[in-house]
Amino acid sequence: EDKVVQSPLSLVVHEGDTVTLNCSYEVTNFRSLLWYKQEKKAPTFLFMLTSSGIEKKSGRLSSILDKKELFSILNITATQTGDSAVYLCAVGSLRGSGNTGKLIFGQGTTLQVKP
Amino acid sequence: AAGVIQSPRHLIKEKRETATLKCYPIPRHDTVYWYQQGPGQDPQFLISFYEKMQSDKGSIPDRFSAQQFSDYHSELNMSSLELGDSALYFCASSLRDRVNQPQHFGDGTRLSIL
């Protein structure tokens, strides 16, 4: 059975701290790994990773994928209160042709950043 | 930039009633996905459509059906509603054959069953 596991499930830090969120997966027909940020409504896209070892970076956020060990990490440096959210890891799985398939989500990591 | 539009935003129904949720994908996106997110849970894939044909099926109950229309919008039809159907229903869209195109989500429809 396909599985995506995130850790930790929740995290409380202070502004300025650096956090690392983990995501491991066992998914057949792997196509991509995606990170989303969810604040009470729609998941907002952060990163999409398809190749091992290539870091993707956007401001204070960065992510990398290891397809051999089947995991990814999401780093947030110099955290701010606005980073408080649930961070979802999802793996795209698709049978057949095409580029994107259904997403299998992890349980999410709830991050709370205190002032 | 245009995003995924879902309607209605909120819906309150009673047990055994029916509901129809609508999703309008990002312009030119040809693939639509439906997800159900229960309270405190991660989103669960229900069903997807590509070019108006069902492309994959997940944990969608037999009481639910969905379709994609010629303008690529999609509707999720839910019948004989149960208390356990109370959840946030997300629609996402993507462009199937473009490399490295993520799914983008709408704001969801919050369905409450009384």
Side-chain angles (χ1 to χ4, degrees):
Chain A
E1 184 184 338
D2 293 337
K3 189 168 57 174
V4 177
V5 178
Q6 292 184 243
S7 65
L9 293 182
S10 65
L11 195 53
V12 181
V13 300
H14 287 93
E15 274 191 318
D17 288 349
T18 293
V19 298
T20 298
L21 309 184
N22 303 292
C23 176
S24 64
Y25 63 91
E26 292 176 31
V27 175
T28 54
N29 302 305
F30 173 92
R31 289 300 174 115
S32 55
L33 186 143
L34 298 90
W35 285 96
Y36 288 88
K37 178 182 181 183
Q38 188 174 26
E39 299 170 274
K40 292 184 180 178
K41 47 181 187 178
T44 304
F45 171 73
L46 296 175
F47 296 112
M48 183 173 183
L49 304 157
T50 56
S51 302
S52 271
I54 298 174
E55 185 184 50
K56 292 220 171 175
K57 200 169 169 65
S58 176
R60 297 176 293 102
L61 278 66
S62 63
S63 183
I64 197 161
L65 173 67
D66 185 329
K67 288 169 76 173
K68 184 180 174 187
E69 300 297 329
L70 306 183
F71 81 91
S72 173
I73 60 172
L74 174 69
N75 281 316
I76 309 175
T77 59
T79 52
Q80 302 170 358
T81 54
D83 295 327
S84 297
V86 175
Y87 289 84
L88 293 166
C89 171
V91 173
S93 174
L94 176 67
R95 292 188 298 267
S97 64
N99 185 54
T100 58
K102 66 180 181 184
L103 294 179
I104 300 156
F105 283 86
Q107 323 92 300
T109 294
T110 300
L111 174 64
Q112 183 183 359
V113 182
K114 292 187 171 181
Chain B
V4 177
I5 306 295
Q6 290 188 246
S7 67
R9 293 291 303 275
H10 302 275
L11 191 56
I12 299 174
K13 291 284 185 178
E14 296 192 353
K15 286 196 307 183
R16 292 180 288 278
E17 286 191 318
T18 61
T20 297
L21 310 185
K22 296 186 179 183
C23 168
Y24 294 85
I26 291 172
R28 294 191 300 280
H29 279 193
D30 51 20
T31 308
V32 169
Y33 310 80
W34 286 96
Y35 295 87
Q36 177 191 58
Q37 186 174 30
Q41 298 180 357
D42 53 283
Q44 295 291 316
F45 170 73
L46 293 178
I47 196 167
S48 62
F49 291 87
Y50 167 61
E51 286 290 344
K52 294 153 285 196
M53 299 285 290
Q54 180 183 308
S55 60
D56 202 353
K57 194 172 180 180
S59 52
I60 184 169
D62 292 340
R63 300 176 287 108
F64 294 5
S65 64
Q67 56 184 324
Q68 186 180 31
F69 296 85
S70 57
D71 64 351
Y72 295 104
H73 94 272
S74 178
E75 294 184 4
L76 177 65
N77 298 295
M78 311 159 75
S79 63
S80 302
L81 289 167
E82 302 173 356
L83 293 176
D85 296 329
S86 295
L88 196 51
Y89 290 83
F90 287 114
C91 171
S93 74
S94 70
L95 196 52
R96 181 180 172 102
D97 291 321
R98 284 279 299 276
V99 176
N100 295 337
Q101 290 294 308
Q103 293 179 27
H104 293 276
F105 284 78
D107 283 343
T109 293
R110 186 170 296 281
L111 175 65
S112 300
I113 310 300
L114 303 180

